[in-house]
Amino acid sequence: MANPTQNAYQDLAQQYMRSHKGVTIKVNSINLSSYNSTLTTQLQAGNGPDVFYVNPGSGQAASVAQLGKAGQLLELTDPETTAAIPQNVKDLFTVGGRTYAVPVDLDAAGIIYNDQAARAVGVNLDATSSFSDVLTQCATAKSQGKALFGLAGAQTPNTAFFAMELAGSTVYGPTPDWNAQRAAGKTTFEKTPGWHAALDVVVKLNNAGCFQPGAAGAGYEALTQGMTRGTIFGFFAPGGGASDIMKAAHGAVKLVVIPFPSPSGKTYLTAATSDGIAGNAKTKSPKLVADFIHWFVQQPQATTFANEKGDLPIGDVKASDLLPQYSGISDAIVHKQYAQMGYLGWSNGQVYDALGSGITGLLTGQKTVDQVLRDMDGVWG
């Protein structure tokens, strides 16, 4: 399993061992910064783990498409196992019609927001707010010496993630198959009005003073410090980040997760099935591996795992299954009314990097929206 900062995998392994006498699971934690290279090296050498964390789609070295095509993943054929994959992301976990991995949770990509602190100075924003409401509240926050949003503008993952949230409402909600159209050469980033609309929002927010001073050159510490000091009220990240902050504050801070309003038309919550598990094609215990994966994604375990991580469970859930910070978006989750985080199906990681660096260029005025989109098309391949 990956990511030594999370105990959820370890806890599920312990639970499986308690309910399956005679089974022993050893959890090997690998830092995410070196995970892709470490896993691929192990698999190529024939000494990889039986079950492991995997990236959906094709954009990473240790992703389903890359490892599946290389014959390194165990095919999953149990109908109950494959049923755990939401229909709109089947292609991220399959290769050539065969299923090789399953998602373990759902990351709601939204605004992690301190509603209590914001209301204390007259700033009001919630899951029903419009884009014009956002601009109004930006002005209110600025008049109080605060910023409605924090942005780590010098960190490509943060800026690109923010842009993907916007594209949920302008691109992937209205056009769920946009990636397939792009792959087929039927459209481009530059030719898509929804992509222009998403990046135009960045420019409008920046011009309206919605971000903290110096956002273009800021790192992640600006977000944590701003939230702690009360100088910013929200930032853009997977919803699980809300739990991390609240745990660190020992209950002193209460945060919620809300979607970013569409600049026009329907607002779609953006969510990502960005974490998955797969089995090793060379495992000596294929039936046991398949059984563990099947057990892992059933609703009791899926809910336990997601709640421990602070994320959302995969599959059919009730509002009561969700953590309190998701109350404002519970209807969208329960009824599966959300857009997928589109970059998971892009041709390579360079496109995401081009988007992230392009957003920084928009903040500094060194790039235009057209230039950013052309750059993304240029590295699509």
Side-chain angles (χ1 to χ4, degrees), residues 116-139:
Q116 292 179 339
R119 288 183 181 277
V121 296
V123 174
N124 296 284
L125 196 67
D126 60 33
T128 67
S129 298
S130 67
F131 182 62
S132 62
D133 292 334
V134 168
L135 297 179
T136 298
Q137 298 311 310
C138 285

mmCIF file with all atom_site columns, all heavy atoms in Angstrom, residues 116-139:
data_model
loop_
_atom_site.group_PDB
_atom_site.id
_atom_site.type_symbol
_atom_site.label_atom_id
_atom_site.label_alt_id
_atom_site.label_comp_id
_atom_site.label_asym_id
_atom_site.label_entity_id
_atom_site.label_seq_id
_atom_site.pdbx_PDB_ins_code
_atom_site.Cartn_x
_atom_site.Cartn_y
_atom_site.Cartn_z
_atom_site.occupancy
_atom_site.B_iso_or_equiv
_atom_site.pdbx_formal_charge
_atom_site.auth_seq_id
_atom_site.auth_comp_id
_atom_site.auth_asym_id
_atom_site.auth_atom_id
_atom_site.pdbx_PDB_model_num
ATOM 1   N N   . GLN A 1 116 ? -17.545 29.570 9.827   1.00 0.00 ? 116 GLN A N   1
ATOM 2   C CA  . GLN A 1 116 ? -17.702 30.320 11.073  1.00 0.00 ? 116 GLN A CA  1
ATOM 3   C C   . GLN A 1 116 ? -16.861 31.590 11.071  1.00 0.00 ? 116 GLN A C   1
ATOM 4   O O   . GLN A 1 116 ? -17.338 32.669 11.426  1.00 0.00 ? 116 GLN A O   1
ATOM 5   C CB  . GLN A 1 116 ? -17.324 29.440 12.268  1.00 0.00 ? 116 GLN A CB  1
ATOM 6   C CG  . GLN A 1 116 ? -18.290 28.285 12.512  1.00 0.00 ? 116 GLN A CG  1
ATOM 7   C CD  . GLN A 1 116 ? -17.870 27.417 13.673  1.00 0.00 ? 116 GLN A CD  1
ATOM 8   O OE1 . GLN A 1 116 ? -16.701 27.401 14.071  1.00 0.00 ? 116 GLN A OE1 1
ATOM 9   N NE2 . GLN A 1 116 ? -18.822 26.668 14.223  1.00 0.00 ? 116 GLN A NE2 1
ATOM 10  N N   . ALA A 1 117 ? -15.602 31.460 10.673  1.00 0.00 ? 117 ALA A N   1
ATOM 11  C CA  . ALA A 1 117 ? -14.720 32.628 10.647  1.00 0.00 ? 117 ALA A CA  1
ATOM 12  C C   . ALA A 1 117 ? -15.188 33.651 9.617   1.00 0.00 ? 117 ALA A C   1
ATOM 13  O O   . ALA A 1 117 ? -15.122 34.865 9.848   1.00 0.00 ? 117 ALA A O   1
ATOM 14  C CB  . ALA A 1 117 ? -13.288 32.196 10.343  1.00 0.00 ? 117 ALA A CB  1
ATOM 15  N N   . ALA A 1 118 ? -15.672 33.166 8.478   1.00 0.00 ? 118 ALA A N   1
ATOM 16  C CA  . ALA A 1 118 ? -16.129 34.082 7.429   1.00 0.00 ? 118 ALA A CA  1
ATOM 17  C C   . ALA A 1 118 ? -17.351 34.873 7.885   1.00 0.00 ? 118 ALA A C   1
ATOM 18  O O   . ALA A 1 118 ? -17.416 36.106 7.733   1.00 0.00 ? 118 ALA A O   1
ATOM 19  C CB  . ALA A 1 118 ? -16.443 33.297 6.165   1.00 0.00 ? 118 ALA A CB  1
ATOM 20  N N   . ARG A 1 119 ? -18.325 34.184 8.463   1.00 0.00 ? 119 ARG A N   1
ATOM 21  C CA  . ARG A 1 119 ? -19.542 34.871 8.910   1.00 0.00 ? 119 ARG A CA  1
ATOM 22  C C   . ARG A 1 119 ? -19.261 35.895 10.002  1.00 0.00 ? 119 ARG A C   1
ATOM 23  O O   . ARG A 1 119 ? -19.984 36.882 10.141  1.00 0.00 ? 119 ARG A O   1
ATOM 24  C CB  . ARG A 1 119 ? -20.568 33.841 9.383   1.00 0.00 ? 119 ARG A CB  1
ATOM 25  C CG  . ARG A 1 119 ? -21.189 33.034 8.244   1.00 0.00 ? 119 ARG A CG  1
ATOM 26  C CD  . ARG A 1 119 ? -22.252 32.073 8.749   1.00 0.00 ? 119 ARG A CD  1
ATOM 27  N NE  . ARG A 1 119 ? -22.813 31.283 7.651   1.00 0.00 ? 119 ARG A NE  1
ATOM 28  C CZ  . ARG A 1 119 ? -23.786 31.698 6.847   1.00 0.00 ? 119 ARG A CZ  1
ATOM 29  N NH1 . ARG A 1 119 ? -24.319 32.899 7.025   1.00 0.00 ? 119 ARG A NH1 1
ATOM 30  N NH2 . ARG A 1 119 ? -24.227 30.933 5.869   1.00 0.00 ? 119 ARG A NH2 1
ATOM 31  N N   . ALA A 1 120 ? -18.217 35.667 10.766  1.00 0.00 ? 120 ALA A N   1
ATOM 32  C CA  . ALA A 1 120 ? -17.882 36.586 11.854  1.00 0.00 ? 120 ALA A CA  1
ATOM 33  C C   . ALA A 1 120 ? -17.529 37.979 11.350  1.00 0.00 ? 120 ALA A C   1
ATOM 34  O O   . ALA A 1 120 ? -17.656 38.963 12.090  1.00 0.00 ? 120 ALA A O   1
ATOM 35  C CB  . ALA A 1 120 ? -16.735 36.016 12.676  1.00 0.00 ? 120 ALA A CB  1
ATOM 36  N N   . VAL A 1 121 ? -17.105 38.077 10.085  1.00 0.00 ? 121 VAL A N   1
ATOM 37  C CA  . VAL A 1 121 ? -16.774 39.394 9.514   1.00 0.00 ? 121 VAL A CA  1
ATOM 38  C C   . VAL A 1 121 ? -17.728 39.753 8.376   1.00 0.00 ? 121 VAL A C   1
ATOM 39  O O   . VAL A 1 121 ? -17.423 40.614 7.546   1.00 0.00 ? 121 VAL A O   1
ATOM 40  C CB  . VAL A 1 121 ? -15.309 39.446 9.032   1.00 0.00 ? 121 VAL A CB  1
ATOM 41  C CG1 . VAL A 1 121 ? -14.343 39.283 10.202  1.00 0.00 ? 121 VAL A CG1 1
ATOM 42  C CG2 . VAL A 1 121 ? -15.035 38.391 7.960   1.00 0.00 ? 121 VAL A CG2 1
ATOM 43  N N   . GLY A 1 122 ? -18.876 39.080 8.313   1.00 0.00 ? 122 GLY A N   1
ATOM 44  C CA  . GLY A 1 122 ? -19.895 39.446 7.333   1.00 0.00 ? 122 GLY A CA  1
ATOM 45  C C   . GLY A 1 122 ? -19.748 38.827 5.965   1.00 0.00 ? 122 GLY A C   1
ATOM 46  O O   . GLY A 1 122 ? -20.390 39.271 5.011   1.00 0.00 ? 122 GLY A O   1
ATOM 47  N N   . VAL A 1 123 ? -18.915 37.767 5.839   1.00 0.00 ? 123 VAL A N   1
ATOM 48  C CA  . VAL A 1 123 ? -18.728 37.083 4.560   1.00 0.00 ? 123 VAL A CA  1
ATOM 49  C C   . VAL A 1 123 ? -19.606 35.839 4.552   1.00 0.00 ? 123 VAL A C   1
ATOM 50  O O   . VAL A 1 123 ? -19.539 35.014 5.464   1.00 0.00 ? 123 VAL A O   1
ATOM 51  C CB  . VAL A 1 123 ? -17.258 36.692 4.346   1.00 0.00 ? 123 VAL A CB  1
ATOM 52  C CG1 . VAL A 1 123 ? -17.097 35.859 3.075   1.00 0.00 ? 123 VAL A CG1 1
ATOM 53  C CG2 . VAL A 1 123 ? -16.383 37.946 4.270   1.00 0.00 ? 123 VAL A CG2 1
ATOM 54  N N   . ASN A 1 124 ? -20.428 35.712 3.521   1.00 0.00 ? 124 ASN A N   1
ATOM 55  C CA  . ASN A 1 124 ? -21.379 34.604 3.455   1.00 0.00 ? 124 ASN A CA  1
ATOM 56  C C   . ASN A 1 124 ? -21.250 33.865 2.122   1.00 0.00 ? 124 ASN A C   1
ATOM 57  O O   . ASN A 1 124 ? -21.457 34.445 1.055   1.00 0.00 ? 124 ASN A O   1
ATOM 58  C CB  . ASN A 1 124 ? -22.814 35.118 3.606   1.00 0.00 ? 124 ASN A CB  1
ATOM 59  C CG  . ASN A 1 124 ? -23.048 35.750 4.966   1.00 0.00 ? 124 ASN A CG  1
ATOM 60  O OD1 . ASN A 1 124 ? -23.186 35.054 5.962   1.00 0.00 ? 124 ASN A OD1 1
ATOM 61  N ND2 . ASN A 1 124 ? -23.082 37.080 5.014   1.00 0.00 ? 124 ASN A ND2 1
ATOM 62  N N   . LEU A 1 125 ? -20.906 32.589 2.203   1.00 0.00 ? 125 LEU A N   1
ATOM 63  C CA  . LEU A 1 125 ? -20.755 31.748 1.015   1.00 0.00 ? 125 LEU A CA  1
ATOM 64  C C   . LEU A 1 125 ? -21.176 30.337 1.409   1.00 0.00 ? 125 LEU A C   1
ATOM 65  O O   . LEU A 1 125 ? -20.820 29.849 2.485   1.00 0.00 ? 125 LEU A O   1
ATOM 66  C CB  . LEU A 1 125 ? -19.295 31.738 0.552   1.00 0.00 ? 125 LEU A CB  1
ATOM 67  C CG  . LEU A 1 125 ? -18.993 31.240 -0.867  1.00 0.00 ? 125 LEU A CG  1
ATOM 68  C CD1 . LEU A 1 125 ? -19.565 32.194 -1.900  1.00 0.00 ? 125 LEU A CD1 1
ATOM 69  C CD2 . LEU A 1 125 ? -17.485 31.097 -1.060  1.00 0.00 ? 125 LEU A CD2 1
ATOM 70  N N   . ASP A 1 126 ? -21.975 29.690 0.557   1.00 0.00 ? 126 ASP A N   1
ATOM 71  C CA  . ASP A 1 126 ? -22.362 28.313 0.836   1.00 0.00 ? 126 ASP A CA  1
ATOM 72  C C   . ASP A 1 126 ? -22.565 27.548 -0.465  1.00 0.00 ? 126 ASP A C   1
ATOM 73  O O   . ASP A 1 126 ? -22.270 28.064 -1.557  1.00 0.00 ? 126 ASP A O   1
ATOM 74  C CB  . ASP A 1 126 ? -23.617 28.238 1.714   1.00 0.00 ? 126 ASP A CB  1
ATOM 75  C CG  . ASP A 1 126 ? -24.839 28.905 1.093   1.00 0.00 ? 126 ASP A CG  1
ATOM 76  O OD1 . ASP A 1 126 ? -24.971 28.885 -0.153  1.00 0.00 ? 126 ASP A OD1 1
ATOM 77  O OD2 . ASP A 1 126 ? -25.663 29.448 1.843   1.00 0.00 ? 126 ASP A OD2 1
ATOM 78  N N   . ALA A 1 127 ? -23.063 26.329 -0.365  1.00 0.00 ? 127 ALA A N   1
ATOM 79  C CA  . ALA A 1 127 ? -23.189 25.457 -1.531  1.00 0.00 ? 127 ALA A CA  1
ATOM 80  C C   . ALA A 1 127 ? -24.205 25.960 -2.545  1.00 0.00 ? 127 ALA A C   1
ATOM 81  O O   . ALA A 1 127 ? -24.230 25.474 -3.681  1.00 0.00 ? 127 ALA A O   1
ATOM 82  C CB  . ALA A 1 127 ? -23.554 24.043 -1.082  1.00 0.00 ? 127 ALA A CB  1
ATOM 83  N N   . THR A 1 128 ? -25.046 26.929 -2.173  1.00 0.00 ? 128 THR A N   1
ATOM 84  C CA  . THR A 1 128 ? -26.049 27.456 -3.103  1.00 0.00 ? 128 THR A CA  1
ATOM 85  C C   . THR A 1 128 ? -25.629 28.776 -3.728  1.00 0.00 ? 128 THR A C   1
ATOM 86  O O   . THR A 1 128 ? -26.361 29.326 -4.550  1.00 0.00 ? 128 THR A O   1
ATOM 87  C CB  . THR A 1 128 ? -27.395 27.658 -2.379  1.00 0.00 ? 128 THR A CB  1
ATOM 88  O OG1 . THR A 1 128 ? -27.265 28.710 -1.404  1.00 0.00 ? 128 THR A OG1 1
ATOM 89  C CG2 . THR A 1 128 ? -27.843 26.385 -1.679  1.00 0.00 ? 128 THR A CG2 1
ATOM 90  N N   . SER A 1 129 ? -24.466 29.296 -3.372  1.00 0.00 ? 129 SER A N   1
ATOM 91  C CA  . SER A 1 129 ? -24.030 30.606 -3.868  1.00 0.00 ? 129 SER A CA  1
ATOM 92  C C   . SER A 1 129 ? -23.755 30.582 -5.361  1.00 0.00 ? 129 SER A C   1
ATOM 93  O O   . SER A 1 129 ? -23.383 29.553 -5.929  1.00 0.00 ? 129 SER A O   1
ATOM 94  C CB  . SER A 1 129 ? -22.771 31.062 -3.123  1.00 0.00 ? 129 SER A CB  1
ATOM 95  O OG  . SER A 1 129 ? -23.020 31.226 -1.750  1.00 0.00 ? 129 SER A OG  1
ATOM 96  N N   . SER A 1 130 ? -23.922 31.740 -5.992  1.00 0.00 ? 130 SER A N   1
ATOM 97  C CA  . SER A 1 130 ? -23.644 31.899 -7.417  1.00 0.00 ? 130 SER A CA  1
ATOM 98  C C   . SER A 1 130 ? -22.256 32.495 -7.610  1.00 0.00 ? 130 SER A C   1
ATOM 99  O O   . SER A 1 130 ? -21.610 32.949 -6.652  1.00 0.00 ? 130 SER A O   1
ATOM 100 C CB  . SER A 1 130 ? -24.690 32.816 -8.056  1.00 0.00 ? 130 SER A CB  1
ATOM 101 O OG  . SER A 1 130 ? -24.545 34.144 -7.557  1.00 0.00 ? 130 SER A OG  1
ATOM 102 N N   . PHE A 1 131 ? -21.807 32.535 -8.867  1.00 0.00 ? 131 PHE A N   1
ATOM 103 C CA  . PHE A 1 131 ? -20.504 33.136 -9.141  1.00 0.00 ? 131 PHE A CA  1
ATOM 104 C C   . PHE A 1 131 ? -20.513 34.630 -8.826  1.00 0.00 ? 131 PHE A C   1
ATOM 105 O O   . PHE A 1 131 ? -19.526 35.164 -8.305  1.00 0.00 ? 131 PHE A O   1
ATOM 106 C CB  . PHE A 1 131 ? -20.110 32.897 -10.598 1.00 0.00 ? 131 PHE A CB  1
ATOM 107 C CG  . PHE A 1 131 ? -18.755 33.455 -10.943 1.00 0.00 ? 131 PHE A CG  1
ATOM 108 C CD1 . PHE A 1 131 ? -17.619 32.987 -10.304 1.00 0.00 ? 131 PHE A CD1 1
ATOM 109 C CD2 . PHE A 1 131 ? -18.613 34.450 -11.897 1.00 0.00 ? 131 PHE A CD2 1
ATOM 110 C CE1 . PHE A 1 131 ? -16.366 33.503 -10.604 1.00 0.00 ? 131 PHE A CE1 1
ATOM 111 C CE2 . PHE A 1 131 ? -17.366 34.964 -12.212 1.00 0.00 ? 131 PHE A CE2 1
ATOM 112 C CZ  . PHE A 1 131 ? -16.235 34.491 -11.571 1.00 0.00 ? 131 PHE A CZ  1
ATOM 113 N N   . SER A 1 132 ? -21.603 35.301 -9.102  1.00 0.00 ? 132 SER A N   1
ATOM 114 C CA  . SER A 1 132 ? -21.681 36.727 -8.759  1.00 0.00 ? 132 SER A CA  1
ATOM 115 C C   . SER A 1 132 ? -21.622 36.918 -7.243  1.00 0.00 ? 132 SER A C   1
ATOM 116 O O   . SER A 1 132 ? -21.051 37.897 -6.753  1.00 0.00 ? 132 SER A O   1
ATOM 117 C CB  . SER A 1 132 ? -22.955 37.356 -9.337  1.00 0.00 ? 132 SER A CB  1
ATOM 118 O OG  . SER A 1 132 ? -24.111 36.751 -8.793  1.00 0.00 ? 132 SER A OG  1
ATOM 119 N N   . ASP A 1 133 ? -22.201 35.970 -6.491  1.00 0.00 ? 133 ASP A N   1
ATOM 120 C CA  . ASP A 1 133 ? -22.087 36.019 -5.033  1.00 0.00 ? 133 ASP A CA  1
ATOM 121 C C   . ASP A 1 133 ? -20.627 35.938 -4.602  1.00 0.00 ? 133 ASP A C   1
ATOM 122 O O   . ASP A 1 133 ? -20.200 36.633 -3.666  1.00 0.00 ? 133 ASP A O   1
ATOM 123 C CB  . ASP A 1 133 ? -22.854 34.860 -4.386  1.00 0.00 ? 133 ASP A CB  1
ATOM 124 C CG  . ASP A 1 133 ? -24.359 34.961 -4.545  1.00 0.00 ? 133 ASP A CG  1
ATOM 125 O OD1 . ASP A 1 133 ? -24.859 36.087 -4.686  1.00 0.00 ? 133 ASP A OD1 1
ATOM 126 O OD2 . ASP A 1 133 ? -25.020 33.905 -4.531  1.00 0.00 ? 133 ASP A OD2 1
ATOM 127 N N   . VAL A 1 134 ? -19.863 35.072 -5.270  1.00 0.00 ? 134 VAL A N   1
ATOM 128 C CA  . VAL A 1 134 ? -18.448 34.929 -4.943  1.00 0.00 ? 134 VAL A CA  1
ATOM 129 C C   . VAL A 1 134 ? -17.723 36.262 -5.097  1.00 0.00 ? 134 VAL A C   1
ATOM 130 O O   . VAL A 1 134 ? -16.974 36.688 -4.210  1.00 0.00 ? 134 VAL A O   1
ATOM 131 C CB  . VAL A 1 134 ? -17.784 33.865 -5.835  1.00 0.00 ? 134 VAL A CB  1
ATOM 132 C CG1 . VAL A 1 134 ? -16.257 33.925 -5.708  1.00 0.00 ? 134 VAL A CG1 1
ATOM 133 C CG2 . VAL A 1 134 ? -18.273 32.479 -5.463  1.00 0.00 ? 134 VAL A CG2 1
ATOM 134 N N   . LEU A 1 135 ? -17.942 36.950 -6.215  1.00 0.00 ? 135 LEU A N   1
ATOM 135 C CA  . LEU A 1 135 ? -17.263 38.228 -6.452  1.00 0.00 ? 135 LEU A CA  1
ATOM 136 C C   . LEU A 1 135 ? -17.665 39.254 -5.400  1.00 0.00 ? 135 LEU A C   1
ATOM 137 O O   . LEU A 1 135 ? -16.831 40.046 -4.925  1.00 0.00 ? 135 LEU A O   1
ATOM 138 C CB  . LEU A 1 135 ? -17.583 38.734 -7.856  1.00 0.00 ? 135 LEU A CB  1
ATOM 139 C CG  . LEU A 1 135 ? -17.088 37.853 -9.013  1.00 0.00 ? 135 LEU A CG  1
ATOM 140 C CD1 . LEU A 1 135 ? -17.484 38.458 -10.353 1.00 0.00 ? 135 LEU A CD1 1
ATOM 141 C CD2 . LEU A 1 135 ? -15.583 37.647 -8.936  1.00 0.00 ? 135 LEU A CD2 1
ATOM 142 N N   . THR A 1 136 ? -18.919 39.244 -5.009  1.00 0.00 ? 136 THR A N   1
ATOM 143 C CA  . THR A 1 136 ? -19.381 40.168 -3.963  1.00 0.00 ? 136 THR A CA  1
ATOM 144 C C   . THR A 1 136 ? -18.691 39.870 -2.634  1.00 0.00 ? 136 THR A C   1
ATOM 145 O O   . THR A 1 136 ? -18.236 40.786 -1.927  1.00 0.00 ? 136 THR A O   1
ATOM 146 C CB  . THR A 1 136 ? -20.908 40.057 -3.790  1.00 0.00 ? 136 THR A CB  1
ATOM 147 O OG1 . THR A 1 136 ? -21.547 40.435 -5.006  1.00 0.00 ? 136 THR A OG1 1
ATOM 148 C CG2 . THR A 1 136 ? -21.389 40.958 -2.664  1.00 0.00 ? 136 THR A CG2 1
ATOM 149 N N   . GLN A 1 137 ? -18.603 38.590 -2.287  1.00 0.00 ? 137 GLN A N   1
ATOM 150 C CA  . GLN A 1 137 ? -17.987 38.217 -1.014  1.00 0.00 ? 137 GLN A CA  1
ATOM 151 C C   . GLN A 1 137 ? -16.473 38.438 -1.038  1.00 0.00 ? 137 GLN A C   1
ATOM 152 O O   . GLN A 1 137 ? -15.858 38.680 0.011   1.00 0.00 ? 137 GLN A O   1
ATOM 153 C CB  . GLN A 1 137 ? -18.317 36.763 -0.678  1.00 0.00 ? 137 GLN A CB  1
ATOM 154 C CG  . GLN A 1 137 ? -19.797 36.488 -0.499  1.00 0.00 ? 137 GLN A CG  1
ATOM 155 C CD  . GLN A 1 137 ? -20.468 37.483 0.441   1.00 0.00 ? 137 GLN A CD  1
ATOM 156 O OE1 . GLN A 1 137 ? -19.987 37.731 1.554   1.00 0.00 ? 137 GLN A OE1 1
ATOM 157 N NE2 . GLN A 1 137 ? -21.579 38.059 -0.007  1.00 0.00 ? 137 GLN A NE2 1
ATOM 158 N N   . CYS A 1 138 ? -15.865 38.364 -2.212  1.00 0.00 ? 138 CYS A N   1
ATOM 159 C CA  . CYS A 1 138 ? -14.440 38.711 -2.326  1.00 0.00 ? 138 CYS A CA  1
ATOM 160 C C   . CYS A 1 138 ? -14.223 40.155 -1.884  1.00 0.00 ? 138 CYS A C   1
ATOM 161 O O   . CYS A 1 138 ? -13.276 40.463 -1.132  1.00 0.00 ? 138 CYS A O   1
ATOM 162 C CB  . CYS A 1 138 ? -13.963 38.546 -3.764  1.00 0.00 ? 138 CYS A CB  1
ATOM 163 S SG  . CYS A 1 138 ? -13.712 36.847 -4.306  1.00 0.00 ? 138 CYS A SG  1
ATOM 164 N N   . ALA A 1 139 ? -15.097 41.033 -2.351  1.00 0.00 ? 139 ALA A N   1
ATOM 165 C CA  . ALA A 1 139 ? -14.980 42.453 -1.995  1.00 0.00 ? 139 ALA A CA  1
ATOM 166 C C   . ALA A 1 139 ? -15.202 42.663 -0.509  1.00 0.00 ? 139 ALA A C   1
ATOM 167 O O   . ALA A 1 139 ? -14.494 43.455 0.138   1.00 0.00 ? 139 ALA A O   1
ATOM 168 C CB  . ALA A 1 139 ? -15.978 43.262 -2.811  1.00 0.00 ? 139 ALA A CB  1
#
